[in-house]
Structure formats: C-alpha cells, structure tokens
Amino acid sequence: VTGDEVCDDGVNDGSYGGCADDCLGFGPFCGDGELQDEFETCDDGNDVNTDDCPDTCEMAACGDGYVWEGNEACDDGNDVNTDDCLDTCEAASCGDGFVQEGVEECDDANDVDTDDCPSSCANATCGDGFVWENNEACDDGNMDDGDGCDSMCMLEMQISCKAYLDADPNSPDGIYTIDPDGDGGNDP
C-alpha cells in the first residue's frame, strides 16, 4: 500500500473480498450491507452475531456457534447432546433424554419415579424416597432401621396398617392381613 491507496492485493480487480481496481477502496465484501448472491445468503452491514444475519453473511441457524436472540437458548456450534447445549439449540436439562456429562447419572426422558431413573436424573437407589418397582418393598427416604422400612428398603415387621402406610405412602387402598409370625397360618 503506497500513497493514497487504501488497499493493494496485487490483483486489484474489485472482486469479492478484494481491492478495487484503483486501490482506493475495497470490492464487495461480507458486511458491506449489500447482498452478493453468489457469495452471501444475507448481509445486514453490521457485526452483530445475535441477529438473523451474523458476520459470516450466512443466515443464522442452529449450530452456527452464535446464539440467535429470541430463537435459540444456546448454540455451541456442535452436535454433542451430552454437554450443556443440545443440538436443537435448547439448554440441556433433566428429562430431555440425554445424560449431561458430570451433571446427571441418567436421563430417560420421563418423570416416572418408580423406574431405574427417577425424575431427579440420579440413578434409583435405596433411600432416595421413591419405591423402585420390582427392586424395593419400601423407600422412606432414609437409611434408618426401626421406622417401618429398613436400610435395605425392605418392610420391617409392622403391627398396624398405619405403620405400613407410613413406610410406603403409595400403598394402594385395600384389605391387609397382619401375620405377626410370618408363617401365613392362623395365629392364636
């Protein structure tokens, strides 16, 4: 660049992204506010990357690495669903069906608390307060013995229906038989 020249790319033919033939200005370029159909899908003349036309002069889209204001919650520019931004440009959350690394132990995309992945997205375990179907008889949310539900989530010997209900609040209504000696026979 010499004298009054603004640019000098050695070609000076005014082509897209190049220097004008008189070296006093630039040829058409991304960000000049004029759409060049052959090279751009948009050109709004600004360098704002949160509108519908980022400074790449390509229409904003999920996955371009820019958060499109009002349309995307996030955009990390990748298609990894185990980080904090899904490939749909929605923020990852418990219940979305993807296990967020370092945050969730499981995520089965439902809010059923009796399966192996409760709605907390932590693996079902004795003491979590949810009766894990086909694995636990009760779960009172603690690991205390002597309160109706022991530390292995097994029902302890009960002496009343109220004690059963306290140990498992989700017990269905019905008629229960209390068998103190556990042999199923008639007790004196």
Side-chain angles (χ1 to χ4, degrees):
V1 178
T2 61
D4 292 338
E5 293 180 335
V6 173
C7 61
D8 190 339
D9 61 9
V11 177
N12 306 327
D13 64 358
S15 63
Y16 185 82
C19 190
D21 57 2
D22 60 6
C23 296
L24 297 178
F26 296 98
F29 61 94
C30 175
D32 64 5
E34 295 185 32
L35 181 64
Q36 306 296 317
D37 290 331
E38 188 176 340
F39 304 100
E40 307 167 337
T41 59
C42 64
D43 192 333
D44 59 6
N46 67 47
D47 60 0
V48 175
N49 288 324
T50 58
D51 61 8
D52 60 351
C53 183
D55 65 5
T56 58
C57 292
E58 297 293 325
M59 292 299 293
C62 179
D64 62 11
Y66 302 110
V67 177
W68 184 8
E69 196 170 296
N71 294 284
E72 300 171 338
C74 59
D75 192 330
D76 58 7
N78 68 48
D79 60 0
V80 176
N81 283 322
T82 57
D83 59 10
D84 60 352
C85 185
L86 303 180
D87 65 2
T88 56
C89 293
E90 298 171 85
S93 63
C94 179
D96 60 20
F98 301 102
V99 178
Q100 191 177 358
E101 287 180 22
V103 178
E104 301 170 332
E105 294 177 354
C106 61
D107 193 327
D108 60 3
N110 70 48
D111 53 359
V112 175
D113 288 329
T114 58
D115 61 7
D116 60 348
C117 183
S119 60
S120 62
C121 291
N123 290 327
T125 184
C126 181
D128 63 8
F130 304 113
V131 177
W132 184 8
E133 193 172 303
N134 300 320
N135 290 282
E136 299 173 338
C138 59
D139 195 324
D140 57 4
N142 66 55
M143 303 301 285
D144 299 335
D145 290 330
D147 61 358
C149 182
D150 70 19
S151 60
M152 302 294 290
C153 288
M154 302 296 293
L155 287 171
E156 296 174 317
M157 177 54 90
Q158 303 296 319
I159 56 170
S160 72
C161 291
K162 181 180 180 331
Y164 277 110
L165 185 59
D166 288 343
D168 183 4
N170 296 316
S171 294
D173 290 340
I175 298 173
Y176 291 87
T177 302
I178 297 175
D179 184 10
D181 64 7
D183 68 0
N186 293 331
D187 296 309

